[in-house]
Amino acid sequence: MNGSVTASDVARAIVAALGWNSSSDDRKAALSYLESVKAGDLRVLASTSFLLVKKDWPSEVRLHAFKLLQHLVRLRWDELSSEERREFAKVSIDLMNEIANSFEEWALKSQTAALVAEIVRREGVSLWQELVPSLISISSSGPTHAEMVCMMLRWLPEDITVHNEDLEGDRRRLLLRGLTESLPEILPLLYTLLERHFGAAMTEAGKQQIDIAKQHAAAVTATLNAINAYVEWAPLPYLAKYGTIHGCGFLLSSPDFRVHACEFFKLVSSRKRPTEADSDYDSAIRSILVILVNVSTDFLNISESGSGIMNDSDFEFAECICESLVSLGSTNLQCITGDNEILSQYLQKMMQYFRHYKLELHHQSLIFWLGLIRDLIMKPKPSAGDSSADNLASTDNHKQKILPFVNDEICSVMLDISFQRMLKKEKVNPGNEIPGGTLELWSDDFEGRGDFGQYRSKLLELIRLIASFKPVIAVTKVSDRVSMIIKSLLLAPLPSQNLATLESMQLAVENVVAAVFDGSNDNGSGSDAQLASCRILEATPFLKYHPDAVGSVINKLFELLNSLPIVMKDPSISGARHARLHICTSFVRLAKTADTSLLPHMKGIADTVSYLQKEGQLLRGEHNLFGETFLIMASAAGPQQQQEVMTWLLEPLSHQWTQLEWQNAYLSDPAGLIKLCGETQFMWSLFHTVTFFEKALKRSGVKKNSVNNNTTASSVPHPLASHLPWMLPPLLKLLRAMHSLWSPPVTQMLPGEIKAAMAMSEVERTGLLGEINPKMPKGGITFADGIPAHMKDGNAEPNETDIRNWLKGIRDSGYNVLGLSTTVGESFFRCTDIDAVDLALMENINSMEFRHIRQLVHSVITPLVKNCPSDLWDIWLKRLLYPLLVYSHQALRCSWSALFEEGRAKVPDLCGVIGGPDLKVEVMEEKLLRVLTREICSLLSVLGSPGLNSGLHSEQLPTDSDVLSKSLVGFLLQNKDIAVPLLHMCLDAFRWTDVDATTKVTSFCGAIVSLAISTNNTELRQFVCKDLFSAIIQSLALESNANANTSANLVGICCEIFVSFCKQDPAPRQILLSLPCIGPQDLLAFEEALGKTSSPKEQKQLMKSLLLVGTANQLKALAVQKGQNLITNVVARPRSTLPPSESRTDDGSAIGLAAIM
């Protein structure tokens, strides 16, 4: 076969292998032929490939031919003789010249350069030294020649300096040494090319010779890329000596090349200063810094003055420059500490970036200032040895030179900016002035910067460090800021809209005071700062450590409270209402921070509160806040005091709460509840009672570090245990009545106002769409449910919004009361009427909306399951779980089917109440569906948790009686009414495309498998071996499950099922044999490999490999996770090619779940 015929054959094979229209068989044949060419006669391979790179062939053929040549050089180079290798190198150099003359496309030029670089890498230093003069000569032939030479110079060091298994260590070191010795020739060449072609590009562009200008521009870009390949390892003085730093610095002024040039400075600035660095190194760093500072000055002058137009590319360039300055300051700052002028300019620029209105520029500078101030205040730990002492002295000298420049003014500016940036953009109400003025505040729309919590933690760390470094400045600044915000709130017509600004300062205040009083600062200003901190004591932990000041603070707060009016009818003084709530909330914060320091004042506070309430000077919401204060104080006093306080607080409430008159009037039928919604004052009185029950449950119990705690927690009854019998029955009636509003017969007779109030609010809908953050501010100033404060205690007629807020508040707090009551102990389960609970929660479960079921499961059912004693499972869990599981499974299945088939989930929450684009409706419906699915699957995860299934995890082999008495899963599955929807839910959850739900249900399935292993239940074993095993494999075909942990757990369960049951049940083998690429011999080889290891990890890896190859990598959840360490030798021969229809078996017998049903 002659060369031309071989070239034609190879070309046709390449086209067939790469062509989209080629059949599978043709593509396989072509690939096989190309592999034979690569493994065949070396000289035929070389000559054929050199023929195919010629211009006569299509681009895809030429590119593949270059890859064949690179393959030859990389893997078969040693098979050529010395003369042949020299000839090969000469032809390749000539080819590079030829490609350059032909003005080929970039990919061909790049592959040619990569080929020459590969040859040099294989042949070594001698060839490189011979090629340098030729490369210099070629580069002078024109812009395209220069571009290709630079490409080759770029590939060579890039491949050598990274780990490359094809290059042995000695040869790599020799090549690197050869390159280093050639730097005096390479770097001047690169500088010359940079200067020549940049000038030519500008000249030709001025003449409107655009095509020629583009060729020179490509040469400049290639030169910069080559330079960037050397900058990470070339000696820094060389880069200064041969003009590289100067040339790249000059290009920073060119809009066309500044991004590539800036990459050079990013790389060189990040190089860590070597310990043996000399003055030449420091001089090079200073020259780099001067260039970056000058460029920054130009940008900042235009940006801050507004004298020019700045676009996105300008800001991206500035971000790159700022990042380079940050890197330089983090790694090489000591190079410039000897030059006060340069150091001062550098710190000024970093401060300008810090206060810049663009968030990204500020964020980059924040990283620098964090590191600098941390280093300045850190006390180095001396180590043994003289050299260590010298290093400590050098470090201290370095700090002393920087300290004068980090003065009070700089620290004040940093604190001001940090305080302003503590607020998210989403927290600023539309139409209000942003506290930071023109600052670009953090927004959830920003990408690639982590979340706001991470950013704010950096700001708080900086605030804390500055407070340790300059305590007086920090305390003064934070006090002034808080005072300014409070004054603006009092003057604002609607203070509640600006409360986010005040709340954003709370963490800043706490960090400043914590830093001031931790005793770590030793600069002589700590005492002054502590005195100044008395201005902000109400929001700090100071009172805990200085109890003498508690009395005066309490008196001042009551003084302020009494000075404000209580009448709320005049909207013009509504600001006073918010101020009163803020003061009452201060008592809650004081109780949290002062700990036992507030105990001696408890009686005085109680007497004052009682007097104010008697005189009608305390609203119900305010009284609740004082009640929460007493609960917090009592938890610090001990069990006995806590019990007394609880009785004192709850006894007045019990008189009204337990009266049958209001229960019969309002809760006996839906008409009564409709009437209640018209009784504004009584309606909100009930709300406050329920919310106080919630707070009491949250604050009750024995505190770990409480005083007078001489008895163990287990011997002391829960403070609320004796109160549950009178608290819960009316609440259950109230919840039952509220739930009945959603039942169709009742809904039809409701007034329009109540019907509208039952619909999802605008806040909830926009929250589902992600358009705003629906979370309401926390604390006592605004209620957790977002209800207007004036409506809670006023006498105005309730409207749709008020009724909706009341219903939501009762549901939220009522559910929480029930859920928290289950944690009190066995009192709830043994003293509460299960019939009443069942009626309240499950009577109208079929009419509940998805969001309400999710809330019910999360707040009530899940804690109830966790805390129910095992001897009461039969009474409580069977009664409550059956209707919940039956309906939720039915509802979820219908909605998921509608989503898959029609693109709409069709959840009940949005029926008939939504307007606007259909796309928004679809998004909200899917969000509601997924949230409920995850919550139900989370409940299943709890049901299968080890704590509730100790009988399955015993070291001794459990008996069936152990399983039923100590395993909740075993208890539930023995009841077929519950078992059927429960197991159906498991199978369906694997088909629904939600990885979070899959992850949660997987743990429950693990418990089912353990149960099947531990017992002799034939039906359960059949379900596990057939239905569950098959469902898990099918779930691995979903790309939504392409999560490393989730897919690993699924494979683990598959492996456990096969290992445990393959000898008892034929189903696992049948299912594996039904896979398209698995035959009997493959399965036999897999079982043999499985039997050779007892390591669960290796067994899982074998199962993963089998599933991948058995499905031809069609299991998307595994294919995207496929790694290099995958075990592939689990079959004895090539994969079976049986079509699915021939290999699958289905005898139609009822196995597993079908048998149970």
Side-chain angles (χ1 to χ4, degrees), residues 489-490 492-493 495 571-580:
L489 283 175
L490 294 175
S572 64
I573 58 172
S574 60
R577 168 63 168 148
H578 294 281
R580 289 179 64 90

Side-chain angles (χ1 to χ4, degrees), residues 326 329-330 333 364-378 398-399 402 458 461-462 465:
V326 171
S330 302
L333 191 59
Q364 290 284 352
S365 181
L366 169 62
I367 297 171
F368 163 78
W369 286 110
L370 262 178
L372 178 65
I373 297 182
R374 190 187 295 118
D375 290 340
L376 290 178
I377 67 175
M378 184 183 298
H398 168 67
K399 289 183 180 179
I402 298 176
K458 293 177 184 177
E461 184 181 3
L462 180 65
L465 291 172

Side-chain angles (χ1 to χ4, degrees), residues 934-1003:
R934 293 167 188 170
E935 195 63 52
I936 294 295
C937 290
S938 180
L939 174 62
L940 298 187
S941 176
V942 171
L943 294 177
S945 61
L948 297 177
N949 294 275
S950 58
L952 300 180
H953 304 278
S954 174
E955 294 182 0
Q956 299 179 351
L957 188 64
T959 63
D960 285 356
S961 60
D962 288 334
V963 170
L964 296 179
S965 63
K966 298 181 181 179
S967 168
L968 180 55
V969 173
F971 168 79
L972 294 174
L973 292 186
Q974 73 172 337
N975 187 311
K976 291 191 176 182
D977 288 340
I978 295 180
V980 170
L982 198 57
L983 297 180
H984 266 303
M985 184 79 74
C986 290
L987 299 180
D988 286 338
F990 286 123
R991 301 185 186 101
W992 298 331
T993 54
D994 192 284
V995 66
D996 291 337
T998 302
T999 302
K1000 291 178 172 67
V1001 82
T1002 300
S1003 62

Side-chain angles (χ1 to χ4, degrees), residues 334-563:
Q334 64 190 96
C335 297
I336 62 172
T337 51
D339 190 327
N340 288 347
E341 181 179 355
I342 293 179
L343 179 60
S344 175
Q345 291 178 358
Y346 173 67
L347 294 178
Q348 287 175 11
K349 296 306 162 193
M350 296 312 298
M351 179 48 57
Q352 284 182 271
Y353 278 122
F354 185 84
R355 66 170 184 251
H356 200 277
Y357 74 93
K358 290 293 288 184
L359 177 64
E360 187 58 46
L361 295 175
H362 154 78
H363 192 219
Q364 290 284 352
S365 181
L366 169 62
I367 297 171
F368 163 78
W369 286 110
L370 262 178
L372 178 65
I373 297 182
R374 190 187 295 118
D375 290 340
L376 290 178
I377 67 175
M378 184 183 298
K379 296 179 181 179
K381 297 180 180 180
S383 304
D386 295 335
S387 61
S388 178
D390 294 340
N391 288 337
L392 289 176
S394 174
T395 301
D396 186 67
N397 183 49
H398 168 67
K399 289 183 180 179
Q400 293 303 319
K401 291 178 179 179
I402 298 176
L403 281 172
F405 296 95
V406 188
N407 51 34
D408 292 354
E409 180 182 356
I410 282 182
C411 291
S412 296
V413 172
M414 282 195 287
L415 287 171
D416 285 337
I417 298 298
S418 299
F419 294 157
Q420 294 174 37
R421 288 191 173 277
M422 288 289 291
L423 188 66
K424 286 179 68 173
K425 183 179 179 181
E426 285 77 7
K427 290 287 187 179
V428 180
N429 288 282
N432 287 4
E433 182 181 355
I434 296 178
T438 59
L439 291 181
E440 183 185 54
L441 297 179
W442 184 283
S443 171
D444 290 335
D445 295 333
F446 293 137
E447 298 179 354
R449 301 188 183 96
D451 57 32
F452 179 71
Q454 295 171 331
Y455 166 73
R456 188 173 62 178
S457 67
K458 293 177 184 177
L459 283 179
L460 290 173
E461 184 181 3
L462 180 65
I463 292 170
R464 186 166 59 252
L465 291 172
I466 295 176
S468 294
F469 184 51
K470 301 280 186 180
V472 174
I473 295 295
V475 168
T476 303
K477 280 295 186 183
V478 77
S479 301
D480 292 344
R481 175 76 175 171
V482 171
S483 299
M484 181 194 72
I485 293 172
I486 292 177
K487 289 178 182 177
S488 66
L489 283 175
L490 294 175
L491 296 175
L494 293 174
S496 61
Q497 293 186 353
N498 297 321
L499 287 175
T501 308
L502 180 60
E503 292 172 353
S504 70
M505 283 298 298
Q506 183 175 346
L507 290 174
V509 170
E510 292 174 357
N511 276 270
V512 168
V513 177
V516 168
F517 289 100
D518 69 0
S520 61
N521 52 71
D522 55 357
N523 53 12
S525 58
S527 299
D528 294 337
Q530 291 172 2
L531 292 174
S533 294
C534 292
R535 299 164 59 187
I536 50 173
L537 288 180
E538 291 83 355
T540 71
F542 177 74
L543 295 176
K544 182 176 181 179
Y545 306 102
H546 296 77
D548 294 342
V550 172
S552 60
V553 172
I554 292 172
N555 292 336
K556 180 64 177 176
L557 288 174
F558 273 123
E559 215 176 288
L560 290 171
L561 184 65
N562 291 326
S563 68

Side-chain angles (χ1 to χ4, degrees), residues 264-284:
F264 165 84
F265 288 99
K266 282 175 63 177
L267 293 170
V268 74
S269 298
S270 62
R271 290 180 58 170
K272 190 174 182 180
R273 186 178 189 271
T275 54
E276 68 278 4
D278 54 14
S279 59
D280 290 339
Y281 182 95
D282 292 347
S283 176

Side-chain angles (χ1 to χ4, degrees), residues 624-822:
N624 272 12
L625 289 171
F626 277 110
E628 186 175 3
T629 302
F630 291 124
L631 292 173
I632 297 170
M633 288 190 287
S635 66
Q640 184 63 35
Q641 188 81 10
Q642 192 176 27
Q643 185 76 45
E644 294 174 1
V645 169
M646 194 70 71
T647 302
W648 175 66
L649 291 171
L650 292 176
E651 189 174 355
L653 296 178
S654 68
H655 296 314
Q656 181 201 54
W657 182 248
T658 57
Q659 288 177 4
L660 292 177
E661 289 79 6
W662 74 269
Q663 298 178 43
N664 293 332
Y666 297 126
L667 306 182
S668 58
D669 54 50
L673 190 61
I674 295 172
K675 183 180 177 183
L676 175 62
C677 290
E679 301 288 340
T680 305
Q681 192 168 8
F682 189 72
M683 180 174 84
W684 288 114
S685 175
L686 293 179
F687 165 80
H688 285 301
T689 300
V690 177
T691 55
F692 188 75
F693 290 162
E694 179 187 10
K695 290 177 181 178
L697 283 161
K698 287 181 178 179
R699 298 292 181 188
S700 60
V702 179
K703 196 173 180 180
K704 290 182 179 179
N705 58 347
S706 60
V707 298
N708 302 325
N709 185 18
N710 298 323
T711 59
T712 61
S714 60
S715 64
V716 179
H718 193 282
L720 275 171
S722 60
H723 299 281
L724 292 183
W726 65 262
M727 285 171 51
L728 297 182
L731 176 61
L732 292 171
K733 291 180 182 179
L734 180 58
L735 290 175
R736 182 189 181 190
M738 183 187 68
H739 289 155
S740 70
L741 296 179
W742 273 264
S743 66
V746 175
T747 303
Q748 293 175 2
M749 57 173 282
L750 293 176
E753 200 169 52
I754 296 182
K755 280 185 181 180
M758 291 161 58
M760 188 180 295
S761 69
E762 184 65 25
V763 172
E764 291 175 293
R765 283 179 278 183
T766 50
L768 285 172
L769 291 170
E771 294 177 352
I772 63 170
N773 186 354
K775 294 181 180 179
M776 298 298 175
K778 294 181 180 180
I781 296 179
T782 56
F783 288 82
D785 53 12
I787 303 169
H790 67 278
M791 283 305 305
K792 292 184 179 283
D793 296 286
N795 297 309
E797 288 294 326
N799 55 29
E800 170 194 326
T801 302
D802 303 323
I803 296 173
R804 176 187 291 116
N805 288 332
W806 182 82
L807 290 172
K808 183 179 185 304
I810 291 295
R811 186 187 301 274
D812 292 349
S813 295
Y815 284 178
N816 285 337
V817 168
L818 292 179
L820 291 168
S821 296
T822 65

Side-chain angles (χ1 to χ4, degrees), residues 95-109:
L95 181 61
M96 186 166 71
N97 208 10
E98 179 183 337
I99 292 290
N101 287 327
S102 303
F103 302 103
E104 299 283 1
E105 62 188 62
W106 184 90
L108 291 169
K109 291 188 288 187

Side-chain angles (χ1 to χ4, degrees), residues 861-1152:
I861 302 300
T862 297
L864 187 145
V865 168
K866 289 180 178 179
N867 296 292
C868 183
S870 58
D871 61 321
L872 297 178
W873 286 348
D874 190 57
I875 297 175
W876 282 88
L877 300 190
K878 284 175 61 176
R879 189 80 169 269
L880 298 178
L881 289 180
Y882 173 71
L884 173 67
L885 291 172
V886 169
Y887 175 70
S888 59
H889 175 251
Q890 176 189 357
L892 290 176
R893 195 171 194 177
C894 291
S895 290
W896 276 105
S897 297
L899 180 64
F900 291 149
E901 296 169 6
E902 305 174 34
R904 288 278 301 273
K906 297 183 179 179
V907 302
D909 305 55
L910 302 173
C911 291
V913 298
I914 286 295
D918 288 342
L919 180 60
K920 288 189 175 183
V921 178
E922 293 172 13
V923 171
M924 288 186 281
E925 287 179 333
E926 184 173 344
K927 184 74 173 289
L928 289 166
L929 172 61
R930 290 186 181 276
V931 169
L932 178 59
T933 302
R934 293 167 188 170
E935 195 63 52
I936 294 295
C937 290
S938 180
L939 174 62
L940 298 187
S941 176
V942 171
L943 294 177
S945 61
L948 297 177
N949 294 275
S950 58
L952 300 180
H953 304 278
S954 174
E955 294 182 0
Q956 299 179 351
L957 188 64
T959 63
D960 285 356
S961 60
D962 288 334
V963 170
L964 296 179
S965 63
K966 298 181 181 179
S967 168
L968 180 55
V969 173
F971 168 79
L972 294 174
L973 292 186
Q974 73 172 337
N975 187 311
K976 291 191 176 182
D977 288 340
I978 295 180
V980 170
L982 198 57
L983 297 180
H984 266 303
M985 184 79 74
C986 290
L987 299 180
D988 286 338
F990 286 123
R991 301 185 186 101
W992 298 331
T993 54
D994 192 284
V995 66
D996 291 337
T998 302
T999 302
K1000 291 178 172 67
V1001 82
T1002 300
S1003 62
F1004 178 73
C1005 292
I1008 292 178
V1009 174
S1010 298
L1011 181 66
I1013 295 172
S1014 304
T1015 63
N1016 294 320
N1017 189 313
T1018 303
E1019 294 178 341
L1020 180 61
R1021 188 188 71 235
Q1022 290 176 345
F1023 167 80
V1024 168
C1025 291
K1026 182 179 180 182
D1027 299 294
L1028 183 59
F1029 191 66
S1030 178
I1032 292 176
I1033 294 177
Q1034 291 176 31
S1035 73
L1036 290 171
L1038 300 177
E1039 193 170 356
S1040 61
N1041 290 330
N1043 173 283
N1045 291 332
T1046 302
S1047 59
N1049 291 335
L1050 292 173
V1051 172
I1053 294 179
C1054 280
C1055 186
E1056 186 177 9
I1057 293 173
F1058 188 87
V1059 170
S1060 301
F1061 298 110
C1062 66
K1063 296 181 180 179
Q1064 304 175 39
D1065 197 296
R1069 283 194 180 92
Q1070 293 172 1
I1071 292 171
L1072 290 178
L1073 285 173
S1074 70
L1075 299 179
C1077 299
I1078 290 291
Q1081 293 301 319
D1082 303 321
L1083 186 59
L1084 181 60
F1086 164 71
E1087 293 186 40
E1088 290 177 356
L1090 205 61
K1092 293 178 181 179
T1093 177
S1094 59
S1095 167
K1097 183 177 180 180
E1098 293 181 7
Q1099 290 177 341
K1100 286 169 61 177
Q1101 199 71 288
L1102 288 166
M1103 176 61 75
K1104 179 179 180 180
S1105 301
L1106 181 71
L1107 292 174
L1108 276 172
V1109 297
T1111 58
N1113 287 335
Q1114 293 305 305
L1115 297 184
K1116 298 176 182 178
L1118 297 181
V1120 296
Q1121 298 290 337
K1122 186 176 179 181
Q1124 302 252 338
N1125 296 326
L1126 201 61
I1127 300 174
T1128 58
N1129 58 341
V1130 298
V1131 293
R1133 59 176 181 78
R1135 301 288 153 250
S1136 170
T1137 57
L1138 290 174
S1141 59
E1142 296 180 17
S1143 59
R1144 296 186 182 276
T1145 59
D1146 187 0
D1147 57 6
S1149 60
I1151 298 180

